[in-house]
Amino acid sequence: MPEAARVRRPALLWAAPAALALVLGIALAGWGAAYLPDYATRAGSVALALLYALALLLARRPWLLLCALFVPVGFERYALWEARPRPLEPLLGVERSFSGESDGVYLTLDEPAGARVVLSPRGVVGVGRASLVGTLREASGKRNPGGFDYRGYLQRRGVEAQLRVAEVTAFTPTVTLKGRLQRGVEAGLAGERAALLSAMTLGVRDDLGELRMSFAAAGLAHVLALSGLHVGVLLGAAGLLLRPLGTLRYPLLLALTAAFVLLVGASPSVLRAGVMAGAVLVSLWFGAGRLEPWPALALAALVTLLLNPSFLFDLSFQLSYGSVMGILLFAGPTLRRLLGARAASLAWWHPGTLLVGGAVVSASAQALTLPFVAHHFNLVPLFGPLVNVVAVPLATLLVPLGFLAGLAGLVSLPLAEALGALASPLAGAMIAVSALAAPWPQVTWGELEPIGFLYFGVGALAAALVAQGRLRPWRGLLVVAAAMIASSLTPPFYGHAELVFFDVGQGDSALIRLPGRVEILVDGGGTPFSDFDVGARTVVPALRALGVDELELVIATHDDADHIEGLVSVLERVPVQHLLVAHPSDKAVFRELIATAERRGVPVTEVRRGQRVHVGAARLDILNPPKRPYGESNADSVAFVLNVAGAPQALFLGDAPAEVEAALAVPRVPVLMAAHHGSRFSTSEALLLAAQPEVAVLSYGRNNYGHPHPDVLARLEAAGAQVRHTYLEGAVRLPLSKPLAGDEP
């Protein structure tokens, strides 16, 4: 056959089916372990491999059958990662001396050799050699809906514990290459502009402050995270400079890629971009032509997950690969349809190409990341694609300028300052774009269950087939509609009616969820001796994660800050129909709450013993405070019984002491929110005898008050109640129970 007539198979054709098989095996090991015994998941990996092999045979790809072996490989690789040595476990909770090398955030220990811990408080030491006295603790996992699994994040990066530093006994600072580059990057800049350029070029995000929230709300969070955009811009700029070297430029670009990954750290997105770039450069270097994007992407996933299988469950990995897949699936076909025959003739710098192409590529990049953004952030910026049309070109200019300034700073700070002067207005424009777009409309979205991701995947696949002309639009719409209908008909895992007791530390906050999306919030927590806004940082994200877009009723049980301080942020960020309070108070936190309610147009009502409040399918029987107040904050707490369908469901007591409990007409209830975080002066034997709760919830955090008191725990055990602790478990979720035996509906 003549050379010109030969049809060459695309390089690395095996990479995509192999990567998919590896993902299936890791997913089965990671998610199946939560629901199935070990032997069942292992058998499942074999069965999945056989089914995958059969699919490849039916697709007439018998030469790819070996790829099916990556299913059990992925399963076993994740199992090995889970079983990895944890040399720091015996040291948890013990105060002792540690020494090692610090990068300002993490400490690599001398003993156990190579073990890494994260330093707390952040910035306690800089970059250098450090000797410290402190206590190792496990980092916090996900405590509430919408919360961040910090423990999992650290473990996926090889960090097993958090070192809470009590004393720095010795520190010798060192100047690293990254530190010297950062000095050049920030030369001639100050404040937010310096922090932005350091984040975009070197991945240093410690000083971003409020920029994080602003960029996330504007749909620009990806600009702050090093990814393919940054690697691509860096290599593109370097490639232009090295073009006169011909093929010799490829090994230099490979070395630059490896150096960049080592410099900024091998996060999932950086590793993906580095492997893809490396594969393309090797292919060009050896004369095989430009590597197709799908095989390059699959190879990157294969290498990344073999190195660290836990990255599959990391948001950075999901967003990085989802955005590239979205561009590959949607951008090209959509642009060809929009620009038609002119698509090939229009230059990339043509205004129409820049505007239309930028919007399409931006929307395509975000198409497949939508469920991950909604699940983790619970907000989807509606105008994110349009904002990126302006922001991405700015980033394309800022990244090489930042790198040039960093390199210039190694030899001449005045030169770095001159480059900083060029970068400053661009950084200012980027910050202005985020500030302008951050208040624009966003869609609140709750956390997705696994079945929700499946429904989205079905709809996205249909949309991709339509975009590529492989499925007629009306059929694609039918598939998308069917997925949406199925999603709306699938009941949530926790049901439509439940009680959620949030973990707000040493405080109270509970959500009553009723049929018909009727939501009642009881208290909002607070941190009286800290500037941490538990309402904005914990309660509001939890409400969004649960899909709460409006609160029919908010109840402020009394004027203690650990109960109502967080409600100020709730009222500012979530629509509220009505606020119930006890007696008026002169405390500053109560006055601020009432002022916020007035400013937001929320009606405020004082409640008294004997009143009944109807909300949706529920009735609240108010047991306290009396018409004549006791004159003491805890004693005047709003206490009430939640009734649903005529049956008592839960008893809420605020911080009411035992003397007040004795005056309340308490019915038998399945759930008791124990008063005053388990104080010895509440939850009396008489109350437990009257209520006979099946479950008692204790809401508290680390404290010096002795909460919960051993006497209370003993009384609850004697009453036969199951005790649930927010401090030990995080948020406690309980379904609203059926009527108790003997109760009439």
Side-chain angles (χ1 to χ4, degrees):
M1 179 181 292
E3 186 70 25
R6 290 181 183 174
V7 178
R8 185 175 61 184
R9 291 183 181 276
L12 297 175
L13 187 61
W14 54 271
L20 178 59
L22 190 70
V23 166
L24 291 174
I26 295 172
L28 181 63
W31 289 326
Y35 306 102
L36 300 170
D38 182 65
Y39 70 86
T41 53
R42 289 181 181 276
S45 72
V46 176
L48 200 56
L50 293 175
L51 286 173
Y52 193 60
L54 179 61
L56 291 174
L57 276 174
L58 293 176
R60 299 179 182 179
R61 296 289 187 272
W63 58 280
L64 293 176
L65 285 179
L66 286 177
C67 294
L69 294 177
F70 277 90
V71 174
V73 166
F75 184 93
E76 295 300 332
R77 182 68 189 89
Y78 186 82
L80 286 173
W81 184 85
E82 280 285 329
R84 68 196 181 282
R86 290 178 169 86
L88 296 180
E89 273 191 0
L91 305 179
L92 293 176
V94 179
E95 184 173 275
R96 52 163 289 177
S97 297
F98 299 90
S99 62
E101 295 292 332
S102 165
D103 64 0
V105 178
Y106 302 109
L107 181 71
T108 302
L109 300 177
D110 295 333
E111 184 64 34
R116 296 178 71 213
V117 297
V118 64
L119 296 169
S120 176
R122 184 180 289 268
V124 65
V125 293
V127 179
R129 178 82 187 167
S131 295
L132 311 163
V133 176
T135 305
L136 287 180
R137 300 184 185 276
E138 269 198 325
S140 177
K142 184 177 179 178
R143 305 287 299 176
N144 291 288
F148 179 53
D149 182 8
Y150 189 42
R151 183 191 307 144
Y153 171 86
L154 292 175
Q155 288 179 350
R156 289 189 289 270
R157 285 152 179 81
V159 181
E160 293 295 332
Q162 189 175 37
L163 177 58
R164 299 195 176 183
V165 179
E167 181 184 1
V168 179
T169 55
F171 176 66
T172 305
T174 58
V175 179
T176 63
L177 174 61
K178 188 173 182 177
R180 295 175 65 191
L181 287 171
Q182 184 179 355
R183 184 179 63 177
V185 167
E186 296 182 352
L189 299 172
E192 290 185 333
R193 299 186 183 194
L196 175 64
L197 204 56
S198 286
M200 293 180 63
T201 53
L202 300 173
V204 179
R205 295 186 287 274
D206 298 337
D207 300 322
L208 284 172
E210 293 300 319
L211 280 183
R212 288 176 183 266
M213 302 298 293
S214 175
F215 272 63
L220 299 176
H222 66 95
V223 172
L224 301 177
L226 296 181
S227 62
L229 169 66
H230 306 77
V231 174
V233 169
L234 172 64
L235 290 181
L240 287 175
L241 293 175
L242 298 175
R243 191 165 188 174
L245 297 179
T247 56
L248 288 179
R249 70 184 184 274
Y250 295 124
L252 294 176
L253 291 174
L254 278 169
L256 178 62
T257 303
F260 178 77
V261 172
L262 291 174
L263 178 69
V264 303
S267 68
S269 57
V270 171
L271 197 56
R272 188 266 304 164
V275 174
M276 286 186 71
V280 171
L281 290 171
V282 168
S283 181
L284 292 172
W285 187 14
F286 287 96
R290 184 176 295 277
L291 191 64
E292 292 294 322
W294 279 110
L297 181 65
L299 180 65
L302 202 63
V303 171
T304 300
L305 294 177
L306 284 173
L307 289 173
N308 189 336
S310 68
F311 275 162
L312 180 64
F313 308 105
D314 195 89
L315 177 62
S316 176
F317 180 95
Q318 294 160 358
L319 295 181
S320 179
Y321 283 83
S323 61
V324 176
M325 291 172 64
I327 291 172
L328 296 179
L329 287 172
F330 297 107
T334 304
L335 284 174
R336 285 192 294 271
R337 286 174 180 268
L338 290 176
L339 300 178
R342 298 192 305 158
S345 60
L346 286 177
W348 66 267
W349 59 82
H350 189 280
T353 307
L354 289 175
L355 184 61
V356 176
V360 169
V361 171
S362 177
S364 299
Q366 296 180 60
L368 294 189
T369 63
L370 276 176
F372 303 110
V373 171
H375 179 74
H376 289 279
F377 299 110
N378 310 123
L379 288 173
V380 178
L382 285 179
F383 295 95
L386 294 179
V387 177
N388 275 273
V389 172
V390 178
V392 169
L394 288 173
T396 304
L397 296 173
L398 272 171
V399 170
L401 271 176
F403 278 117
L404 285 175
L407 292 173
L410 298 178
V411 293
S412 170
L413 274 180
L415 178 58
E417 290 175 356
L419 291 169
L422 293 175
S424 181
L426 297 173
M430 179 75 81
I431 293 170
V433 168
S434 72
L436 177 66
W440 290 0
Q442 299 172 325
V443 176
T444 302
W445 207 282
E447 289 183 333
L448 274 69
E449 296 176 4
I451 191 67
F453 285 100
L454 178 62
Y455 288 141
F456 181 87
V458 170
L461 177 60
L465 292 174
V466 170
Q468 297 177 23
R470 299 183 181 183
L471 186 68
R472 293 187 178 182
W474 67 270
R475 289 182 176 175
L477 285 174
L478 284 179
V479 175
V480 172
M484 294 176 66
I485 292 171
S487 175
S488 64
L489 295 177
T490 302
F493 180 80
Y494 283 97
H496 292 287
E498 62 170 331
L499 303 172
V500 187
F501 300 88
F502 298 131
D503 173 26
V504 290
Q506 183 64 15
D508 276 9
S509 183
L511 180 68
I512 301 169
R513 314 195 71 194
L514 300 170
R517 294 178 60 84
V518 175
E519 319 280 355
I520 303 172
L521 182 66
V522 184
D523 289 335
T527 50
F529 307 108
S530 169
D531 59 358
F532 180 81
D533 189 341
V534 72
R537 302 288 295 277
T538 301
V539 180
V540 171
L543 294 175
R544 288 173 176 165
L546 293 170
V548 177
D549 52 13
E550 184 179 34
L551 291 165
E552 276 67 29
L553 186 65
V554 169
I555 301 173
T557 59
H558 62 298
D559 59 7
D560 280 0
D562 62 330
H563 286 250
I564 66 169
E565 185 182 58
L567 290 181
V568 174
S569 291
V570 171
L571 262 63
E572 288 177 342
R573 291 166 169 81
V574 181
V576 174
Q577 289 189 9
H578 213 104
L579 173 65
L580 297 187
V581 300
H583 296 281
S585 168
D586 290 331
K587 286 187 179 180
V589 66
F590 185 84
R591 294 201 306 270
E592 184 181 7
L593 176 64
I594 298 302
T596 304
E598 292 176 352
R599 186 171 65 253
R600 301 288 294 176
V602 179
V604 181
T605 300
E606 298 175 21
V607 292
R608 297 292 182 269
R609 182 179 296 166
Q611 289 182 314
R612 289 183 170 182
V613 179
H614 294 270
V615 185
R619 187 187 76 234
L620 310 184
D621 293 341
I622 307 299
L623 307 181
N624 200 61
K627 293 182 179 179
R628 292 186 177 181
Y630 291 102
E632 196 275 324
S633 176
N634 289 346
D636 286 327
S637 293
V638 175
F640 66 93
V641 176
L642 169 69
N643 296 270
V644 180
Q649 296 286 340
L651 173 61
F652 294 81
L653 295 168
D655 280 355
E659 295 79 7
V660 172
E661 292 176 354
L664 306 181
V666 174
R668 183 182 174 191
V669 290
V671 178
L672 166 69
M673 187 172 190
H676 207 169
H677 325 292
S679 164
R680 62 185 290 192
F681 303 111
S682 300
T683 318
S684 62
E685 291 182 5
L687 174 81
L688 294 174
L689 183 63
Q692 299 182 43
E694 298 171 6
V695 180
V697 179
L698 292 165
S699 179
Y700 65 99
R702 185 178 287 111
N703 66 87
N704 298 319
Y705 306 113
H707 298 162
H709 196 274
D711 290 352
V712 172
L713 297 176
R715 290 198 290 266
L716 289 169
E717 182 180 2
Q722 178 191 7
V723 182
R724 306 288 298 272
H725 305 250
T726 60
Y727 177 70
L728 300 178
E729 304 178 44
V732 174
R733 301 180 72 168
L734 300 171
L736 286 176
S737 65
K738 298 177 182 178
L740 295 168
D743 289 337
E744 295 184 3

